[in-house]
């Protein structure tokens, strides 16, 4: 942090809006990156009640913020409030990143970082979903895994499971099995996949015992608490049927789900890289520069596992 350009009247801001937000590791690794890049910027975390989201985004717009991250529970409302949304986020109906853009006198919308001495005529918010980008990036880094033509079992059809299922289908997955406690949510998700990605077969039950899957992915919240049960029915599916096991949870670093998978011979990984890559992609959108991944990774791991 010693590289930080001191806060002065030229300091620009980005930030995270969530409710709650105090647990977030994002300020630690985003500020490490800003410092490394010698930008006179800061990344702040702000607890914003859902009732105030509109005013918070408009306030950030008025105050010359470069951009925002949105976390639970703001991703869907943020999508509705954004002035423009990129095509990936359009399908997901949820955003976790906003870039502010300013209109110049020639009618062009340019990133707010480009305004140094003058002010734009008007500012708009453009929404992105970098959570979605982080899924293939993590699977690639952790396992060298590419989804095209693969069979994948996804546990959970909530916010995270839905983004994973849609993104992995977009990447060309051959078969996606989806299991969710509330069956209706899995059925709705299957409908969405059919309509956007008809090349992906969706099956709403466990694979047959004779069948193998390339990847099993936990996108439920089971495993966050030590008292949680394993997120799958081991009478219906054996981890030996899977090659790779990924848990979106990163704290604890190894959930009982991952322990069981490891003991069954799967290669395993937790969700820490998803947190890293969604943040890195947001930073790249705001700065227009390549994210210093290793600097961010070091700060993130320090914050999550050594604090
Ligand atoms: P997130 O945004 O993290 O995905 P979410 O949308 O609340 O959060 O989704 C949580 C997921 O964990 C859902 O798949 C949820 O199942 P339901 O859709 O049936 O709620 C799953 N989950 C949470 N608690 C569970 C439990 N006790 N047993 C089984 N699944 C559970």
């Amino acid at each position: 942090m010693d590289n930080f350009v001191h806060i002065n009247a030229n300091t620009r801001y980005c930030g995270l809006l969530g409710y709650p937000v105090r647990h977030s590791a994002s300020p630690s690794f985003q500020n490490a990156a800003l410092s490394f890049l010698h930008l006179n910027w800061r990344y702040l975390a702000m607890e914003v009640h859902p009732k105030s989201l509109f005013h918070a985004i408009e306030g950030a717009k008025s105050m010359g913020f470069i951009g925002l991250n949105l976390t639970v529970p703001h991703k869907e409302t943020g999508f509705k409030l954004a002035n423009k949304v990129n095509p990936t986020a359009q399908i997901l109906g949820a955003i976790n990143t906003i870039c502010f853009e300013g209109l110049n006198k020639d009618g062009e919308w340019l990133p707010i970082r480009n305004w140094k001495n003058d002010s734009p005529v008007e500012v708009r918010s453009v929404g992105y979903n970098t959570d979605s980008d982080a899924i293939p990036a993590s699977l690639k880094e952790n396992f060298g895994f590419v989804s095209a033509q693969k069979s994948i079992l996804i546990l959970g059809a909530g916010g995270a499971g839905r983004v994973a299922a849609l993104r992995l289908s977009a990447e060309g997955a051959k078969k996606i099995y989806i299991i969710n406690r509330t069956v209706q949510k899995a059925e709705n998700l299957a409908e969405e996949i059919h309509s956007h990605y008809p090349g992906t077969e969706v099956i709403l039950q466990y694979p047959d015992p004779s069948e193998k899957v390339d990847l099993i992915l936990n996108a439920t919240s089971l495993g966050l608490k030590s008292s949680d049960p394993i997120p799958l029915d081991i009478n219906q599916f054996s981890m030996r049927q899977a090659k790779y096991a990924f848990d979106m949870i990163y704290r604890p670093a190894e959930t009982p789900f991952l322990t069981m998978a490891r003991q069954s011979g799967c290669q395993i990984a937790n969700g820490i890289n998803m947190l890293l890559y969604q943040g890195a992609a947001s930073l790249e959108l705001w700065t227009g520069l390549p994210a210093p991944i290793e600097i961010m990774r070091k700060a993130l791991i320090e914050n999550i596992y050594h604090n």
Side-chain angles (χ1 to χ4, degrees):
M1 293 286 161
D2 295 347
N3 282 342
F4 256 135
V5 184
H6 286 293
I7 289 180
N8 58 29
N10 287 309
T11 306
R12 312 299 298 270
Y13 296 96
C14 345
L16 169 67
L17 310 184
Y19 192 83
V21 86
R22 282 162 212 230
H23 62 284
S24 174
S26 293
S28 69
F29 71 99
Q30 293 289 7
N31 282 312
L34 296 177
S35 165
F36 179 82
L37 294 171
H38 289 287
L39 288 168
N40 185 8
W41 294 13
R42 291 295 189 281
Y43 183 98
L44 311 170
M46 288 157 288
E47 198 152 87
V48 171
H49 189 278
K51 278 196 304 202
S52 304
L53 184 63
F54 170 78
H55 296 291
I57 295 173
E58 290 304 305
K61 218 186 235 184
S62 309
M63 291 188 287
F65 271 53
I66 301 282
L68 293 170
N69 276 142
L70 303 180
T71 188
V72 176
H74 297 322
K75 296 181 187 184
E76 287 80 16
T77 315
F79 171 84
K80 292 184 191 133
L81 293 174
N83 301 126
K84 189 180 170 216
V85 167
N86 95 323
T88 311
Q90 198 76 50
I91 290 177
L92 298 170
I95 60 169
N96 74 325
T97 305
I98 288 176
C99 291
F100 292 115
E101 292 182 348
L103 185 64
N104 68 13
K105 295 190 182 73
D106 300 326
E108 296 165 307
W109 290 99
L110 300 173
I112 283 297
R113 65 172 181 271
N114 291 18
W115 265 263
K116 301 222 162 68
N117 301 316
D118 52 348
S119 300
V121 178
E122 190 186 333
V123 178
R124 70 176 181 185
S125 54
V126 184
Y128 298 84
N129 193 309
T130 68
D131 290 333
S132 160
D133 301 330
I135 293 168
S138 302
L139 293 172
K140 183 100 189 289
E141 180 179 308
N142 285 119
F143 304 134
F145 184 90
V146 177
S147 308
Q149 293 308 311
K150 299 292 194 317
S151 289
I152 300 168
L153 168 57
I154 298 178
L155 307 170
R162 181 171 164 275
V163 168
L166 286 165
R167 183 58 188 246
L168 296 172
S169 302
E171 302 275 318
K174 187 168 90 190
K175 259 190 210 178
I176 294 203
Y177 298 86
I178 302 170
I179 301 292
N180 197 53
R181 174 180 61 179
T182 311
V183 174
Q184 185 64 51
K185 274 201 221 168
E187 289 175 353
N188 295 347
L189 178 53
E191 280 301 314
E192 284 191 82
I193 296 172
H194 284 314
S195 70
H196 292 294
Y197 310 108
T200 300
E201 187 185 351
V202 185
I203 301 160
L204 298 182
Q205 57 189 34
Y206 286 100
D208 286 342
S210 60
E211 229 168 304
K212 298 249 187 252
V213 294
D214 297 290
L215 171 71
I216 177 168
L217 188 152
N218 177 38
T220 74
S221 48
L222 294 178
L224 284 171
K225 288 184 274 153
S226 57
S227 56
D228 283 341
I230 295 267
L232 80 160
D233 182 349
I234 53 172
N235 295 315
Q236 295 201 63
F237 183 81
S238 157
M239 296 282 201
R240 293 188 188 285
Q241 291 171 251
K243 183 168 183 196
Y244 301 112
F246 189 94
D247 199 328
M248 288 193 169
I249 294 171
Y250 52 84
R251 198 166 21 201
E254 187 173 305
T255 55
F257 165 79
L258 286 184
T259 304
M260 183 188 268
R262 181 168 54 73
Q263 288 168 350
S264 305
C266 300
Q267 279 189 53
I268 64 167
N270 71 23
I272 193 86
N273 278 339
M274 279 192 53
L275 185 58
L276 175 65
Y277 281 110
Q278 63 78 32
S282 298
L283 184 84
E284 290 183 351
L285 287 167
W286 297 324
T287 63
L289 300 169
I293 286 285
E294 294 315 318
I295 298 287
M296 297 177 86
R297 190 194 309 276
K298 188 165 170 278
L300 174 60
I301 288 175
E302 182 70 29
N303 181 279
I304 299 275
Y305 298 124
H306 304 302
N307 256 345

